[in-house]
Amino acid sequence: MAKEPRPIDELTIWDDAKAMLKKARAEGIETVHERLDQQTPHCKMCELGTSCRNCTMGPCRVSEKKPLGVCGADADVIVARNFGRFVAGGAAGHSDHGRDLIEVLEAIVEGETTDYKITEEGKLRTIAGEIGIETEGRTVKEVAHDVMDEFFADFGSRRKEVSFLARVPQKRKDVWAKLGMTPRGVDREIAEMMHRTHMGCDNDAPNTLIHAARTALADGWGGSMIGTELSDVIFGTPTPRMSTANLGVIKEDQVNILVHGHNPVVSEMILAAARDPQLVARAKELGASGINVAGLCCTGNELLMRQGIPMAGNHLMTELAIITGAVEAIVVDYQCIMPSLVQISGCYHTKFIDTANKARFTGGIHYDFQPATAMTQAKEIVSLAVEGFAQRDKGRVDIPCEPIDIMTGFSNEAVIAALGGSLDPLVQAIVAGDIRGAVGIVGCNNPKIKQDSLNVGLAKELIKRDILVIATGCVTTAAGKAGLLVPEAIEMAGPGLKKICGSLGIPPVLHYGSCVDNSRIMQLCAALANTLNVDISDLPVGASSPEWYSEKAAAIGLYAVASGIQTHLGHPPHILGSETVTNLAVAGLEDLVGAAFFIEPDPVRTAEIFDERIKAKRKALGLSE
Ligand code: XCC
Ligand code: SF4
């Protein structure tokens, strides 16, 4: 029997989302929320993490009554293995994205493409210097070539540690070395995770978890960091700028192209093609006033940070954006693209275009996007969208709101520039207690949680307490829509944060980019720790992913904890079926790496827990609470 749909008011905090959910129901279109209703209640054992499909003696589901799988694996082993593979999946996603950027750099260096360029020679030389490459008297191509080789080697298996560990405070590196947690190579740790979790290998849950942390660190300080840094080198280091967010960025009188996914390699080229005078002229011929490119999810964040392109929405807005009826094309690369978008596009004139061979969608229009042919392909894609404008059914268009202003573009370089050239003023503000600490709120939406209620709720609670918030990923749009990403938001902040952000003209919630850009936060923490000559775990900082859903978020959470940062999750991963694993995650890791996870669904309580931690860390540093 079909369940009653949940009331729309319970699904999201946003009016634009509610309007589109109503439209979807009226038009008979199913969304993620109805599909969740169909899938619940979920299998209890899968929720607890105690089911295993790792071999064909099984599948096995262990419980109190039947405590061992066919091979003899108990709940601890099964939960640890499942979680290890879950983290490996996330690390693989981020890192394979990072590798794609190295391949673009390679195409530039080898002269295979002129569509992409080295935009930030200075940053390239800085990175080269950090990882020990000679830059003096060498051409940019020579340096780029060596950087490319170094980064490719970071994915292999012959290193003692990945190259960006050069940024990590020595005290932290010592912790990792002692535990056997030093990430050696990105692909190596991921492959080893798969090996260890084969039947009959690593049957000691804590040992498996240590390797899960090593795999996550290979992501945070390896694959993701390479992704962020090379994206800056190729597309420019973000600087503060204004933009807009919510479904109102979709324009009734324009050809609308939404870019969705993660990698700026595709979306940057789509944006450039959309500015082609011939294509703009063609759009006008067809009655549109222009071509509008807007972002979804993380590739949206990439374009927002560097180009100020407006943000249509986060994870749970992706289906709803199409339901406006005004989207000519949705162009995707990979990750977080719900397959349902193909079906929903099919309910309208919207063309669904996929661009990566490793992320193809049945029913989508496929382009095998390559650096050598990028601009030609991007123009073809934009042209498809433009021609689609004629097929738009004007009677079904409903753009539910006006866009809201946001400020974006806070790379570490931009922050240091805003501070006058060094981190010292930030350190002074922390020492003085004007900024008591900082928390990175990152990650997703999850249909199990009222959309953005925790993302926004937690950010508001923290800034009230003079705790600076740094936002990435899908939290960005949430913070933006809540009015937290503009300088005026200091009115919602505590007196210290209000003073500092007010004097700098910046918001109390800083948009730091996409999810691979959490590596920027790692770099900032490392730099602060190095300035103060302490470990990262000594800093009054925290991390949170209130509404997370993805394997990547688990990898991020784990590399944050392993780097010494207390990390909040709004709901638990599928580990509760093992006391050993759960206790290690929420307590035991504290003794090993100086930080652990905490799980808390209430944003006020979460802020209080962060507050207590920040007080303790400040006290230990000899600062006022
Ligand atoms: Fe995906 Fe990055 Fe999560 Fe958003 S925040 S739902 S992972 S797009 Ni990364
Ligand atoms: Fe069952 Fe063990 Fe095979 Fe897993 S590895 S399916 S627990 S027999």
Side-chain angles (χ1 to χ4, degrees):
M1 207 180 71
K3 277 191 255 177
E4 272 295 296
R6 284 170 293 157
I8 283 172
D9 279 340
E10 287 175 17
L11 305 182
T12 175
I13 65 170
W14 306 118
D15 289 341
D16 61 347
K18 287 178 194 170
M20 288 305 100
L21 285 166
K22 271 188 207 135
K23 185 168 187 276
R25 284 186 184 176
E27 296 185 0
I29 296 171
E30 215 176 63
T31 68
V32 63
H33 300 289
E34 287 80 39
R35 293 191 301 273
L36 175 65
D37 290 344
Q38 290 159 21
Q39 288 294 333
T40 47
H42 295 296
C43 163
K44 272 279 160 271
M45 270 131 175
C46 288
E47 271 182 341
L48 294 169
T50 50
S51 57
C52 179
R53 295 184 287 115
N54 287 13
C55 87
T56 63
M57 296 193 285
C60 304
R61 302 190 299 173
V62 302
S63 60
E64 241 165 65
K65 275 197 207 135
K66 304 173 190 172
L68 299 180
V70 177
C71 66
D74 62 11
D76 291 342
V77 167
I78 291 175
V79 167
R81 285 198 306 216
N82 287 340
F83 186 62
R85 287 195 171 192
F86 194 75
V87 169
H94 283 148
S95 299
D96 206 36
H97 166 165
R99 176 180 8 237
D100 284 340
L101 270 307
I102 315 178
E103 288 188 344
V104 174
L105 184 66
E106 182 181 34
I108 297 170
V109 172
E110 305 291 345
E112 284 161 18
T113 180
T114 49
D115 294 344
Y116 300 96
K117 294 187 180 54
I118 293 171
T119 306
E120 298 274 4
E121 186 179 332
K123 177 150 186 172
L124 179 72
R125 287 181 184 276
T126 306
I127 293 168
E130 280 179 288
I131 61 173
I133 292 169
E134 186 55 55
T135 56
E136 275 292 308
R138 302 182 73 204
T139 67
V140 61
K141 282 234 162 136
E142 286 167 341
V143 174
H145 193 277
D146 286 2
V147 167
M148 172 193 103
D149 278 348
E150 280 296 302
F151 285 163
F152 272 133
D154 278 340
F155 281 78
S157 58
R158 302 189 61 178
R159 287 271 161 94
K160 292 212 164 46
E161 55 181 57
V162 296
S163 33
F164 274 133
L165 255 51
R167 290 177 169 175
V168 178
Q170 191 56 46
K171 285 180 184 162
R172 182 64 10 195
K173 295 212 309 190
D174 293 343
V175 170
W176 294 342
K178 204 170 134 228
L179 292 167
M181 215 185 256
T182 307
R184 300 158 296 180
V186 176
D187 291 350
R188 175 176 191 166
E189 307 312 354
I190 294 166
E192 187 172 317
M193 191 77 250
M194 298 308 284
H195 176 194
R196 281 174 183 244
T197 49
H198 187 281
M199 201 297 274
C201 289
D202 200 357
N203 289 300
D204 181 58
N207 201 49
T208 307
L209 285 185
I210 296 279
H211 187 73
R214 172 150 62 172
T215 307
L217 288 170
D219 170 358
W221 297 91
S224 278
M225 200 168 270
I226 290 170
T228 293
E229 297 299 56
L230 289 187
S231 295
D232 282 359
V233 166
I234 296 167
F235 302 112
T237 305
T239 51
R241 62 190 71 219
M242 295 301 295
S243 186
T244 52
N246 74 26
L247 291 184
V249 308
I250 296 170
K251 296 294 168 209
E252 187 153 12
D253 62 341
Q254 297 196 36
V255 173
N256 291 299
I257 301 175
L258 298 183
V259 288
H260 180 13
H262 284 77
N263 195 328
V265 167
V266 175
S267 53
E268 281 274 354
M269 219 33 70
I270 298 292
L271 176 65
R275 289 171 175 166
D276 177 76
Q278 276 177 339
L279 287 168
V280 174
R282 178 63 185 151
K284 289 188 174 159
E285 235 172 72
L286 291 170
S289 72
I291 305 174
N292 178 38
V293 176
L296 290 167
C297 287
C298 278
T299 211
N301 279 310
E302 300 272 346
L303 285 188
L304 176 61
M305 283 283 279
R306 298 195 182 85
Q307 314 287 356
I309 287 307
M311 182 66 115
N314 53 5
H315 182 45
L316 286 190
M317 300 306 293
T318 57
E319 294 181 319
L320 305 183
I322 299 173
I323 290 169
T324 60
V327 177
E328 275 57 54
I330 174 161
V331 185
V332 309
D333 50 270
Y334 42 58
Q335 299 168 18
C336 301
I337 300 142
M338 288 193 268
S340 65
L341 297 183
V342 180
Q343 295 134 32
I344 294 181
S345 294
C347 299
Y348 298 90
H349 70 302
T350 309
K351 295 199 169 65
F352 182 95
I353 298 162
D354 61 67
T355 58
N357 239 321
K358 54 191 153 202
R360 290 197 63 167
F361 292 74
T362 305
I365 303 170
H366 178 63
Y367 279 80
D368 185 10
F369 212 82
Q370 296 295 338
T373 48
M375 188 45 122
T376 314
Q377 290 178 308
K379 281 185 185 168
E380 277 177 40
I381 291 169
V382 172
S383 170
L384 275 182
V386 169
E387 297 304 323
F389 185 74
Q391 286 137 35
R392 189 194 285 181
D393 179 349
K394 295 201 174 85
R396 284 177 77 195
V397 171
D398 181 7
I399 297 168
C401 56
E402 288 299 316
I404 184 157
D405 286 338
I406 59 176
M407 190 184 237
T408 175
F410 291 97
S411 58
N412 286 321
E413 289 84 345
V415 167
I416 289 170
L419 292 172
S422 86
L423 283 176
D424 292 348
L426 177 61
V427 172
Q428 282 156 21
I430 294 171
V431 168
D434 288 329
I435 298 177
R436 295 179 50 239
V439 171
I441 311 183
V442 313
C444 326
N445 293 135
N446 186 318
K448 294 175 179 173
I449 297 163
K450 186 174 189 175
Q451 186 199 8
D452 291 331
S453 59
L454 305 186
N455 288 338
V456 171
L458 178 58
K460 286 186 174 169
E461 285 301 324
L462 289 171
I463 61 172
K464 257 193 231 168
R465 294 168 161 81
D466 284 334
I467 298 168
L468 179 72
V469 170
I470 293 179
T472 64
C474 284
V475 175
T476 308
T477 318
K481 285 162 86 166
L484 292 166
L485 293 186
V486 283
E488 297 75 37
I490 56 171
E491 296 307 327
M492 292 184 252
L497 201 53
K498 185 173 176 179
K499 183 176 104 188
I500 300 292
C501 294
S503 72
L504 293 168
I506 61 172
V509 179
L510 300 180
H511 177 217
Y512 245 61
S514 64
C515 291
V516 296
D517 290 343
N518 286 321
S519 64
R520 296 187 200 275
I521 305 179
M522 290 297 113
Q523 192 189 359
L524 177 62
C525 288
L528 281 173
N530 283 332
T531 307
L532 293 165
N533 198 22
V534 296
D535 190 0
I536 295 173
S537 60
D538 298 322
L539 298 173
V541 298
S544 167
S545 195
E547 301 180 25
W548 73 286
Y549 91 89
S550 100
E551 292 171 328
K552 294 177 290 168
I556 294 166
L558 192 51
Y559 75 62
V561 167
S563 298
I565 302 170
Q566 184 193 34
T567 297
H568 162 252
L569 300 173
H571 62 120
H574 298 142
I575 61 169
L576 299 185
S578 161
E579 243 182 70
T580 306
V581 173
T582 306
N583 286 342
L584 196 63
V586 301
L589 280 173
E590 186 75 53
D591 297 329
L592 297 175
V593 295
F597 287 101
F598 71 99
I599 319 276
E600 173 56 56
D602 178 67
V604 177
R605 184 66 200 124
T606 302
E608 285 166 2
I609 294 170
F610 275 129
D611 199 320
E612 284 158 26
R613 175 86 169 188
I614 283 170
K615 271 186 196 154
K617 292 291 171 191
R618 291 185 61 84
K619 207 169 157 204
L621 286 170
L623 307 175
S624 68
E625 291 190 347

